C-alpha cells in the first residue's frame, strides 16, 4: 500500500489506474485537436502538442506531434502561474501565450493556450496545448520569416493574456487576430480547436476527481512524477560516465551573417546529466536565435533518446537533467532578438549532445542526419479559384547509419518527431502547384559499412504567376557527420528550374524567391552520415545498393571497392578481400 499524508492508504492498482487515466487524457486531447483543427499544418502535419500539468506546472503527460515541444507546455503553465497566481485564475479562464523568450519557447507561429482546472473551488491542474497556426501575421505570408531582424516583424505577440475570462471570450483579441492575419478562418478555427481540446482535458480530470478523492489524485500525480524520475535514473546508471565535448556551427542567420560556432560539454555522473553550452555564439541579427526554453526542450529530446525513448514523458523524467548556457546567446536569446527560425539552433544544440555521445552509445545513437526542419513556405493564387493559398510544411530527409543498421530514408528530423508531409493529393487540390517529383535522392553520399539513409527530391511546379517560396534549409554548409570511418552525408539545398530552361541555385536559405508559371522549386534534402569503413560493407550488399540505385556502378567501385556488373548482376572486389559472385 502507498501511504498519504492523511494516514489513509491507496492500493497500487488504483494508482496505476489513475496514472494511466491521466496519460489517456493527454492522448484524447491530442486527437481532439487534430480532428477539429482547420489547417493542414495541424491535422495533416501534426505540428502541435497537448498535455496536462499539476497545479505547480509540473508536466504530467504530453502528446507530441513535434518532439521539439517537449518541455514547452510546462514553461507556459509556469509563466501563467507566475503572472496570475492562483488568486488571479478562475474556472473558465483560458490564457493565450506565444512569447518566445519566456513561456512560449519557440516562435510566434506556435500559439499556446493554458486552462486552469478547478475542483470544489481549488486549482488542481492545468490543461495546455501549443499549435502551429498557419498565420500570425508579420511581414511574410505564413509568418515564417527567414530574414527578419527583430521580433516585431514576425507576427502577433500574445504575452500571457486571458483569451477567456470566466468562460467569456475576449472579443477584442479575436478581432485583433482577424484583422492581422492573412487567413483568419484558419487561425481562428485552429484557436477554437485548441479550446475544445483544453475543455476535453478539463472534463476528464474532473471526472477522475469525481470518481476518486483529491488525495488519491494528488498521490497518483506524485507517484507518476517519482516513477518517471526512477526510470530515468535507472537508465542514467547505464550510461558511460565522464565528460564529452562537441563543436559545430549554425550555417547562417538568413541575412548574410555566419556561420556561428556552438559548443557543448556533456558531463554524465551517477546522479546528473549536465549539458554546458557556455562559450557558444552570442545572439545574432537574423532569426535563428533560440530561447532558453527551446534549448531545454532540445536537450530533453536527446536525453530521452539516450536513456529511455519509449518512456512516458513527465517532468519527473528530467529531474537528473541540468542545462547551462550564457545569457543573450544564440541558444538563450532575449527580447527583441528575432526567432522565427529558432528551430535551426534548437536542432544544432541537440545535435551537439548527440555528436558528443554517438561513438560512446552506438546502440542508441546513429551518425548525423538531415538535422534541419527544412521548412518551406509557398504562397500565391490558386489557378482555378483566384483565391490566395499558402503551403507551410517541413521536409523529410535521411538519417544516419548506426552500428548494425543502415540509416532510415525519407524521415523527418529528430525535433519534428511524428509529423507528416502535406500529401501530394491535398497539395495539388488545395494549392496552386503540381508535384512534378517526390523521390529518394541518390547522390553518392553517406557511404559506410552501414550506409546513411537517403534524402528526398520534392519538386513544386507553380501553376500561376507571382508565387513566392521562402525556404529555410539548414545543414547546407556543414554536412551530416559519419562515425568510425563512415563518410559524411550531403547538404540540404534547393534550386529553381525556370520555365525558360535556366537553373538558379542551389541555395540553402532564401526569402520569398519569386516564381512565375511553370517555374519548378526542386527541394533536395540530405543523405545521412555513414557508419564504419565503406570497405567493410559486404559486397553483396553493395551490389544490392546498385540495384536499388542508391549508388552507381562507378560509385560502388570508388567508395566500396566493389565492381558491379549490371548486365549479369555479379560483383568483384578490388579491395584486399576475397571476392564472390
Amino acid at each position: 500500500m502507498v501511504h498519504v499524508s492523511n494516514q489513509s492508504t491507496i492500493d497500487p492498482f488504483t494508482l496505476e489506474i489513475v496514472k494511466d487515466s491521466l496519460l489517456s487524457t493527454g492522448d484524447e486531447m491530442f486527437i481532439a485537436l487534430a480532428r477539429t483543427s482547420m489547417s493542414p499544418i495541424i491535422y495533416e502535419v501534426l505540428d502541435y502538442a497537448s498535455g496536462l500539468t499539476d497545479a505547480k506546472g509540473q508536466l504530467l503527460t504530453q502528446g507530441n506531434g513535434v518532439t521539439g515541444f517537449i518541455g514547452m507546455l510546462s514553461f507556459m503553465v509556469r509563466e501563467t502561474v507566475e503572472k496570475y497566481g492562483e488568486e488571479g485564475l478562475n474556472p473558465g479562464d483560458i490564457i493565450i501565450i506565444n512569447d518566445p523568450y519566456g513561456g512560449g519557447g519557440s516562435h510566434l507561429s506556435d500559439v499556446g493556450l493554458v486552462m486552469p482546472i478547478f475542483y470544489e473551488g481549488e486549482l488542481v491542474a492545468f490543461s495546455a496545448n501549443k499549435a502551429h497556426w498557419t498565420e500570425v501575421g508579420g511581414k511574410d505570408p505564413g509568418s515564417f520569416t527567414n530574414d527578419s531582424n527583430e521580433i516585431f516583424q514576425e507576427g502577433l505577440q500574445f504575452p500571457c493574456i486571458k483569451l477567456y475570462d470566466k468562460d467569456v471570450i475576449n472579443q477584442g483579441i479575436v478581432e485583433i487576430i482577424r484583422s492581422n492575419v492573412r487567413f483568419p478562418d484558419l487561425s481562428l478555427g485552429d484557436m477554437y480547436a485548441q479550446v475544445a481540446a483544453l475543455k476535453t482535458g478539463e472534463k476528464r480530470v474532473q471526472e477522475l476527481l469525481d470518481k476518486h478523492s483529491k488525495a488519491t489524485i494528488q498521490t497518483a500525480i506524485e507517484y507518476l512524477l517519482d516513477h518517471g524520475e526512477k526510470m530515468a535514473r535507472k537508465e542514467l546508471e547505464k550510461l558511460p560516465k565522464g565528460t564529452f565535448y562537441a563543436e559545430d556551427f549554425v550555417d547562417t542567420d538568413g541575412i548574410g551573417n555566419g556561420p556561428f560556432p556552438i559548443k557543448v560539454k556533456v558531463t554524465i555522473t551517477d546522479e546528473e546529466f549536465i549539458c554546458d553550452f557556455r562559450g557558444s555564439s552570442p545572439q545574432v541579427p537574423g532569426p535563428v536565435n533560440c530561447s532558453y526554453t527551446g534549448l531545454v526542450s532540445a536537450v530533453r529530446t536527446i536525453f530521452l533518446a539516450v536513456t529511455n525513448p519509449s518512456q512516458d514523458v513527465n517532468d519527473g523524467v528530467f529531474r537528473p537533467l541540468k542545462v547551462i548556457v550564457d545569457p543573450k546567446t544564440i541558444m538563450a536569446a532575449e527580447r527583441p532578438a528575432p526567432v522565427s527560425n529558432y528551430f535551426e539552433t534548437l536542432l544544432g544544440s541537440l545535435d551537439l549532445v548527440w555528436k558528443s555521445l554517438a561513438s560512446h552509445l552506438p546502440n542508441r545513437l546513429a551518425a548525423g542526419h538531415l538535422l534541419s526542419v527544412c521548412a518551406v513556405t509557398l504562397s500565391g493564387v490558386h489557378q482555378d479559384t483566384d483565391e490566395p493559398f499558402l503551403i507551410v510544411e517541413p521536409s523529410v530527409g535521411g538519417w544516419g547509419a548506426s552500428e548494425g543498421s543502415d540509416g532510415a530514408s525519407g524521415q523527418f528530423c529528430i525535433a519534428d518527431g511524428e509529423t507528416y508531409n502535406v500529401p501530394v493529393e491535398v497539395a495539388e487540390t488545395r494549392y496552386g502547384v503540381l508535384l512534378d517529383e517526390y523521390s529518394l535522392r541518390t547522390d553518392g553520399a553517406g557511404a559506410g559499412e552501414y550506409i546513411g539513409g537517403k534524402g528526398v527530391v520534392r519538386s513544386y511546379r507553380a501553376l500561376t504567376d507571382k508565387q513566392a517560396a521562402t525556404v529555410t534549409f539548414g545543414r547546407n554548409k556543414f554536412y551530416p557527420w559519419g562515425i568510425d570511418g563512415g563518410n559524411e552525408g550531403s547538404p540540404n539545398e534547393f534550386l529553381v528550374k525556370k520555365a525558360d530552361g535556366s537553373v538558379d541555385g542551389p541555395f540553402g536559405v532564401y526569402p520569398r524567391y519569386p516564381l512565375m508559371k511553370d517555374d519548378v522549386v526542386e527541394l533536395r534534402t540530405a543523405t545521412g552520415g555513414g557508419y564504419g569503413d565503406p570497405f567493410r560493407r559486404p559486397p553483396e550488399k553493395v551490389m544490392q545498393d546498385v540495384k536499388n540505385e542508391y549508388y552507381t556502378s562507378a560509385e560502388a567501385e570508388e567508395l566500396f571497392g566493389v565492381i558491379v556488373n549490371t548486365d549479369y548482376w555479379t560483383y568483384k572486389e578490388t579491395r584486399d578481400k576475397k571476392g564472390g559472385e
Side-chain angles (χ1 to χ4, degrees), residues 113-132:
L113 297 186
V114 175
M115 184 177 193
I117 300 174
F118 288 83
Y119 188 76
E120 296 178 348
E122 180 183 352
L123 178 64
V124 293
F126 288 89
S127 58
N129 53 41
K130 187 179 184 68
H132 186 122

Side-chain angles (χ1 to χ4, degrees), residues 270-282:
D270 289 331
E271 299 296 325
E272 290 185 309
F273 190 103
I274 305 167
C275 297
D276 186 346
F277 294 91
R278 287 176 293 188
S280 297
S281 169

Side-chain angles (χ1 to χ4, degrees), residues 412-429:
F412 287 102
C413 70
I414 185 171
D416 260 337
E418 298 297 327
T419 48
Y420 299 88
N421 275 130
V422 174
V424 171
E425 297 82 0
V426 173
E428 292 188 338
T429 301

Side-chain angles (χ1 to χ4, degrees), residues 167-182:
D167 277 325
V168 178
I169 193 167
N170 186 329
Q171 285 295 339
I173 294 177
V174 174
E175 292 309 311
I176 287 172
I177 294 170
R178 190 182 303 279
S179 299
N180 282 275
V181 305
R182 295 169 179 84

